[in-house]
Amino acid sequence: GRSEDDLKIMKSLKVRDSISQEEGQNRRSRGRSISDYTIVSLFESSSCTGISNEALERLTNRLAELNGEKRRRRARLGEMGTAIAALWTMLRVPPEEQRAFTENVRGLGMDTIRLGERELIRLHELKSEMIGKLIREQREQIAVLWEKTNATESEKASFRTYYEVNADEELTDDLLKKHEDYVEALNAKLEKIQPILDLIAKREAIIADRFELENLQKDPDRLKQRGASLTKQLMKEEKMSRRVKKELPKITHVLERTLTAWYEDNRPPDAEESDDPDSGHFMYQNAPYLHTMQMQEEDWRKRKERGEQERQRKRQEERAASSNAAFGSTYSKLPGKKWHPSAAGPPKSMPLGPSGGDLRPRSASNVRGRPLADVSSSRQNVPRPASRPRNEQGKKTVAGTIPSYRAVSAPRMR
């Protein structure tokens, strides 16, 4: 058999004698190689294969078989190592047990493969005992991934059949495998949409800065600070204003283009006939984020319009208040009945002159609103009062007084 041939081949080899002392030390430090051996005999015998063409062909074929077996064992050990590592993580095997197993793994021999197989059997038995706990842990991870991927109710409903199984007899390895596959699919989806989620998170942070900046600018007390505090406040507002004016439009444009392409790639064939209008859209917080962006910009535009209208109203009130302060209080009518010249006649209490005109004093307020002809005629018709008597010097005197005379002054001295 193959074992006898392998034994015969090994007996046919011997270590080369013509090796220097220094080279021998180097080879011992790094281990033996093929070039360190030679054929015992050139001819085939019961204990030697020889170097005939037939022997060389058999050796070449055997070498190819051994290399293939080496690759298969290495692949097998790699698969077992991956499975064992996953089970160690799942079952939370202590690091001391993991280290003890790893130290016993040596080479590609069958003893190493049997050691790995025994460890896998032990871990699967432990998993069967902890199956309920493992399924619950997978469900907790699924809930977290649903939130991170913004899964819709329809997407969650597709796994509810397995997610709500709680009977002990139904908690099997097959159910755990379905949970593990679903977690793997959710992780793949999260990795795919993570760049879009990062852009959305950045845009939402700038939207929050926009509202905060508006509230800060409405507070005049922030400028009453002094020194470093005022400088820090102004630098903060400048940074927020730069993000709002420059970064927000760029990120919004990139998201609009990206989410439109997402909808084109994920739109169902019967989207027009579907009852779900959000089908195919990129969902964020249970709403298509493409529509959310449009609503945010529309709400902000209306908010700015209302703010401008409020500022215009306040400015008008301030102008009116300053005008009243400059010219006094606003005009208000006095109580009582007012006389108006265009009335049918003068008031009954007003005395009349000989020609029918009233005897009120002539003033601008009396003739306001009349034509000029009426003013002149009224002045002619009103009788003038008698003049006061004059003394010898031609000066008026008041009745009941004695006229006084001014003494002649003395001549001035020159």
Side-chain angles (χ1 to χ4, degrees), residues 314-330:
K314 288 184 178 180
R315 278 197 289 265
Q316 292 175 359
E317 291 179 354
E318 290 174 358
R319 290 196 203 99
S322 61
S323 176
N324 294 338
F327 299 101
S329 59
T330 56

Side-chain angles (χ1 to χ4, degrees), residues 97-108:
E97 296 184 15
Q98 301 180 24
R99 195 177 304 111
F101 173 82
T102 306
E103 289 174 355
N104 293 327
V105 176
R106 293 288 184 274
L108 301 176

Side-chain angles (χ1 to χ4, degrees), residues 186-229:
L186 289 177
N187 281 321
K189 180 182 177 181
L190 179 62
E191 183 179 358
K192 180 180 178 181
I193 68 174
Q194 191 61 52
I196 301 178
L197 292 176
D198 293 341
L199 281 175
I200 292 176
K202 189 173 182 180
R203 184 180 183 276
E204 289 295 317
I206 299 177
I207 290 292
D209 286 348
R210 184 166 67 176
F211 284 100
E212 183 180 357
L213 179 63
E214 183 187 37
N215 293 331
L216 285 174
Q217 291 176 345
K218 289 180 180 179
D219 182 17
D221 294 338
R222 76 190 193 283
L223 302 177
K224 294 180 180 180
Q225 305 178 70
R226 292 294 181 268
S229 299

Side-chain angles (χ1 to χ4, degrees), residues 213 216 222 233-241:
L213 179 63
L216 285 174
R222 76 190 193 283
Q233 178 66 29
L234 294 177
M235 289 179 64
K236 176 184 177 182
E237 293 182 17
E238 178 64 24
K239 182 179 179 181
M240 294 169 67
S241 177

Side-chain angles (χ1 to χ4, degrees), residues 14-71:
K14 70 174 183 178
V15 181
R16 291 172 56 191
D17 296 331
S18 58
I19 299 176
S20 64
Q21 184 178 1
E22 181 179 357
E23 186 178 358
Q25 292 178 354
N26 294 335
R27 291 186 177 184
R28 279 193 297 271
S29 62
R30 70 174 187 268
R32 299 283 184 180
S33 64
I34 296 177
S35 61
D36 297 336
Y37 296 91
T38 185
I39 299 294
V40 174
S41 175
L42 299 178
F43 302 99
E44 184 176 1
S45 64
S46 60
S47 61
C48 182
T49 58
I51 57 172
S52 63
N53 291 335
E54 184 180 356
L56 291 176
E57 184 177 357
R58 290 202 312 271
L59 289 173
T60 302
N61 294 335
R62 184 57 182 161
L63 180 61
E65 291 177 2
L66 291 175
N67 284 330
E69 180 65 18
K70 179 180 179 179
R71 289 191 296 271

